[in-house]
Amino acid sequence: MADWQIDLIKVVFIWVWVLLIAVIMTWVERRASAMMQDRLGPNRAGPFGLLQPLADGIKLFTKEDIIPERARKILFILGPPLFAFPVFSAFAVVPFGDKIVIGGKEIILQVSDVSIGFLYVLALSAIAVFGMVIGGWASNSKYSILGGLRATAQLISYEVPMGLALLTIVLLYGTFSLREIVLQQQGTFLGFLPNWGFFKQPLGFLIFLVAAYAEANRVPFDLPECESELVTGYHTEYGSMRLGLYLFGEYVNLVTLAAITVSLYFGGWGLPYVDMSKYLGPVAYGIASFLVFTLKQAFFLFLFVWVRWTVPRFRYDQLMGLGWKALIPLGLINLFVTALLVQLTI
Amino acid sequence: MDYYFLLFAIMAVGAGIFTITVKDALPSALGLLTVFIALAALYLHLHAPLIAIFQVSIYAGAILVLVVFVIMLLITPDEALETAQKNISYRAMGAILGVYLIALLIIGLKGINQLVAQKSLPEGFGKPSQIGDLFFRKYILHFEISSVLLLVALVAAIYLAKKRA
Amino acid sequence: MPRRPIVKKEYTLGERVYLVEIAKGLRLTWKHFTFNVRASFRKGPHTVPTCWQYPEDRREIAPIFRGAHMLQLNDKGQELCVGCGMCARACPAKCITVKRGKPAEGEEDKYAGKTMCASFEVDMLRCIFCGNCEKACPKGALVLGQDYELAEYEPEKCIYDKERLLANFQRAKAEGRLKPPPKPIPVDAPPPKKKAAAGKAAKASASEKAAKGKAAAPKEAKKKDDKADKAKE
């Protein structure tokens, strides 16, 4: 099989897999949030409500598609895809497993291992911001414009602490490529801890996690979103599948951010002290590494849901104050301390 | 026949023409976004992935977002830019600058025959490590001067913001 | 009343960092989560204590609940409604329509009174479930039962005619959810006649009260007698 065919299969697999995880996330969100609130969540559509996402999808597809009269039609239609497609594409650089050997050919489980690695993800989140801006402006309603503006301001101001946390990662590992970062996280650190980024960079992990919550518009930073629960915000005027694309894009964003957190700070597809490739054959190793990665990713996705239903949301000025006045100085301190430590040990 | 180049070149030129001819502000900004993405794709084709990412994340992701902010804050979707486009002095300035830029392009394209022949690239061309190397060894003075420029911009922004408070 | 002094509490650095509080919150939410996950796997209704799973768990209804209407029969199985139309007069939403009629030749023992209602319609879409009709009925025929699941797919089905109201009663009787008879309202006894020296005003008011008491008492007594008769029958 030619190389491009293998890449095509990987692309299709990742598309389907990410969509599947996003769909399952809607179910997990509703059930887990209900369990935390002393109720049961959807349990009528299929056993334990497992067919509920299907019902939601059918509902969104069959609702009437309304474009407001005074909205700018082309931009209105352009908003949701501009938000959803970059977040789908960002999964291309995520290593979801180590090598797998099929038919004598060794295939790395990553769609493309470019040298720029996670910078690609940052760039794509910058484009996804445009989807929100355009969606808000094209709705041509005062509240949508203001909501879109606030959402955009929040997103771009939290790109800076995220960039600072990622900068310290580059300082530690010397490469942008996510696969190489995961490869460098094998073994142990200080003798007994796994060599994960979390133990080498606890402050950096914290900053990255908070910035990831803000980038994904999740509580406690979901003021742009909850505003639309209060009938303001950039996706007020959207209905049926366009709204579905916005909401879906948010879940896919979550999946991508969880995957990147796992790759950078939690050792990607490797088990902590065990080197699986010694015990398993090549095909089984590939599948096992994929499963380990998915389990870690599932933990972080559950953490997103868990924090959402535990913590109250921030007010807008508290949110921006946290981003600019707390996280950026912390990120800079982290950068200096890490640079000092790296210099002292090399 | 380099189809990749043709596709993105046509996309860039078409989006550029769209940017300068459309009568509304935000579609014009979106046209500029398309130009940046097409340029990034062309940089990729030239084996410069880091420059492509800089183009998207800095130009499209930061500068253009600020432009869009200003548009969103000041221009309602119903307005059009007709008044600015009908102004005679703007048109005259635009014409002069356009002629100047075309002259620059023609002068700049004089040495293009030497670029067409395919050369072999040095090892590690375009990799981030090589660019970092260049920044901190050969071009470190330029790097420091640009950081001072950014500092000046920062200080100016803070001063302007504080003046009103 | 002096107000409590306002104390502005300064947060320590640990509290400002907020992470410990978040961790405590996460622990609490986790406890709820595991408890409810285990509860959701148990069989049987009402496994999660705070969440009633309708329609398997239903709450108990008070006996005086005002739900859907029903036309009652007495112990002999005769219809109590005489078609007087007091309920239609009393209804604030004007949703009851009654037509009085005489019973046919051979069916006089189906009805308790000398007349019957030829048609009796209650429009449930207009009814506000206030219970005025129940209070106004002189025979105690129309009562509001305990049925609250009244949704239909067509609005025509929400206009209950006499058959439906009688069927409501039969269903309630079968389930043992009949409405208990209304409690008699206590009336003051008329003042004794020896208090002639109390004065004219007192006497006037007393006689007013006595008149009112006497006017109410016979009506109540008559109503009680009627209901007692019905209960006896």
Side-chain angles (χ1 to χ4, degrees), chain A residues 27-28 31-41 48 302, chain C residues 29-43 47-49:
Chain A
W27 177 82
V28 165
R31 278 297 270 194
S33 66
M35 298 288 181
M36 290 179 198
Q37 294 172 339
D38 283 343
R39 53 187 179 92
L40 282 179
F48 294 108
F302 181 69
Chain C
T29 324
W30 181 253
K31 279 201 310 209
H32 277 259
F33 180 71
T34 48
F35 177 78
N36 287 303
V37 165
R38 280 189 311 199
S40 75
F41 279 109
R42 289 201 281 260
K43 289 282 174 227
T47 54
V48 176

Side-chain angles (χ1 to χ4, degrees), chain A residues 65-137:
Chain A
D65 183 23
I66 300 179
I67 299 184
E69 193 184 8
R70 284 180 56 212
R72 307 292 307 270
K73 263 188 96 164
I74 300 181
L75 291 180
F76 193 82
I77 298 177
L78 198 60
L82 198 58
F83 176 70
F85 286 150
V87 297
F88 270 102
S89 320
F91 211 85
V93 291
V94 166
F96 51 93
D98 203 2
K99 303 185 232 219
I100 192 173
V101 178
I102 292 186
K105 244 186 158 170
E106 211 177 51
I107 310 173
I108 53 165
L109 287 176
Q110 185 182 10
V111 174
S112 75
D113 189 13
V114 284
S115 55
I116 44 177
F118 59 71
L119 282 187
Y120 174 72
V121 177
L122 272 188
L124 282 179
S125 359
I127 297 188
V129 168
F130 275 100
M132 294 177 152
V133 167
I134 306 258
W137 195 81

Side-chain angles (χ1 to χ4, degrees), chain A residues 228-240:
Chain A
S228 60
E229 287 168 24
L230 306 171
V231 197
T232 45
Y234 63 92
H235 52 237
T236 313
E237 306 283 342
Y238 283 91
S240 99

Side-chain angles (χ1 to χ4, degrees), chain C:
Chain C
M1 202 166 14
R3 302 180 75 166
R4 270 200 320 191
I6 299 176
V7 172
K8 201 156 176 165
K9 187 177 149 198
E10 285 296 326
Y11 290 115
T12 66
L13 184 64
E15 282 172 336
R16 283 225 316 263
V17 167
Y18 201 52
L19 285 172
V20 176
E21 301 293 324
I22 295 183
K24 286 200 266 191
L26 286 178
R27 208 177 118 241
L28 181 71
T29 324
W30 181 253
K31 279 201 310 209
H32 277 259
F33 180 71
T34 48
F35 177 78
N36 287 303
V37 165
R38 280 189 311 199
S40 75
F41 279 109
R42 289 201 281 260
K43 289 282 174 227
H46 203 61
T47 54
V48 176
T50 48
C51 181
W52 294 70
Q53 294 283 300
Y54 188 86
E56 286 97 20
D57 314 322
R58 283 176 220 233
R59 292 199 179 257
E60 281 182 21
I61 311 287
I64 57 170
F65 185 76
R66 297 197 294 263
H69 305 258
M70 46 191 191
L71 276 177
Q72 288 192 326
L73 310 175
N74 61 12
D75 289 340
K76 286 198 233 159
Q78 292 173 322
E79 287 180 27
L80 287 168
C81 175
V82 291
C84 62
M86 297 299 295
C87 49
R89 285 256 190 116
C91 177
K94 311 257 190 311
C95 65
I96 306 186
T97 319
V98 185
K99 272 216 223 343
R100 197 172 56 224
K102 276 202 107 46
E105 282 306 317
E107 295 184 348
E108 271 152 20
D109 53 347
K110 257 178 46 169
Y111 305 102
K114 296 201 206 84
T115 56
M116 49 81 111
C117 50
S119 93
F120 193 104
E121 279 184 359
V122 181
D123 186 357
M124 288 312 224
L125 292 174
R126 288 191 184 224
C127 176
I128 60 172
F129 300 96
C130 62
N132 276 7
C133 53
E134 182 181 358
K135 284 193 213 143
C137 180
K139 303 293 177 185
L142 183 67
V143 297
L144 261 57
Q146 289 191 350
D147 194 13
Y148 53 84
E149 293 156 342
L150 307 173
E152 301 282 352
Y153 280 103
E154 288 113 20
E156 294 82 26
K157 289 219 187 111
C158 281
I159 303 182
Y160 289 4
D161 52 358
K162 188 173 163 186
E163 294 161 7
R164 180 111 185 234
L165 293 169
L166 286 171
N168 280 355
F169 172 72
Q170 297 298 348
R171 201 171 50 230
K173 190 167 172 186
E175 290 171 9
R177 292 205 293 181
L178 285 180
K179 193 114 182 194
K183 284 202 287 212
I185 304 172
V187 176
D188 294 336
K193 293 197 172 71
K194 294 182 199 106
K195 292 267 171 79
K200 275 224 168 150
K203 206 170 160 199
S205 67
S207 64
E208 243 181 67
K209 221 161 78 167
K212 264 201 287 215
K214 270 198 238 159
K219 207 163 77 172
E220 282 310 310
K222 188 158 155 272
K223 213 166 165 184
K224 271 199 304 189
D225 283 347
D226 276 352
K227 293 214 170 70
D229 289 347
K230 281 178 276 190
K232 263 191 284 179
E233 289 166 0

Side-chain angles (χ1 to χ4, degrees), chain A residues 19-223:
Chain A
L19 278 177
L20 198 63
I21 296 190
V23 162
I24 294 179
M25 268 298 285
T26 60
W27 177 82
V28 165
E29 170 112 52
R30 291 181 71 168
R31 278 297 270 194
S33 66
M35 298 288 181
M36 290 179 198
Q37 294 172 339
D38 283 343
R39 53 187 179 92
L40 282 179
N43 56 0
R44 304 279 169 185
F48 294 108
L50 281 170
L51 294 180
Q52 185 70 34
L54 184 67
D56 282 339
I58 295 178
K59 174 199 81 162
L60 279 177
F61 264 112
T62 55
K63 264 196 184 176
E64 182 190 355
D65 183 23
I66 300 179
I67 299 184
E69 193 184 8
R70 284 180 56 212
R72 307 292 307 270
K73 263 188 96 164
I74 300 181
L75 291 180
F76 193 82
I77 298 177
L78 198 60
L82 198 58
F83 176 70
F85 286 150
V87 297
F88 270 102
S89 320
F91 211 85
V93 291
V94 166
F96 51 93
D98 203 2
K99 303 185 232 219
I100 192 173
V101 178
I102 292 186
K105 244 186 158 170
E106 211 177 51
I107 310 173
I108 53 165
L109 287 176
Q110 185 182 10
V111 174
S112 75
D113 189 13
V114 284
S115 55
I116 44 177
F118 59 71
L119 282 187
Y120 174 72
V121 177
L122 272 188
L124 282 179
S125 359
I127 297 188
V129 168
F130 275 100
M132 294 177 152
V133 167
I134 306 258
W137 195 81
S139 306
N140 202 359
S141 112
K142 288 190 255 296
Y143 298 111
S144 293
I145 296 181
L146 284 176
L149 210 61
R150 282 159 81 139
T152 315
Q154 174 189 325
L155 281 197
I156 63 173
S157 47
Y158 275 88
E159 277 175 17
V160 184
M162 194 187 249
L164 280 175
L166 292 175
L167 209 55
T168 44
I169 291 280
V170 175
L171 201 56
L172 264 186
Y173 296 116
T175 170
F176 284 118
S177 156
L178 282 172
R179 178 177 163 78
E180 287 174 31
I181 294 178
V182 171
L183 280 173
Q184 287 184 23
Q185 286 184 33
Q186 294 167 343
T188 58
F189 174 61
L190 293 184
F192 64 99
L193 292 170
N195 198 10
W196 287 349
F198 173 66
F199 298 108
K200 284 188 174 177
Q201 285 248 331
L203 187 58
F205 169 66
L206 200 62
I207 296 173
F208 182 78
L209 200 66
V210 173
Y213 275 76
E215 284 288 317
N217 266 344
R218 290 290 281 200
V219 174
F221 303 102
D222 73 338
L223 204 63

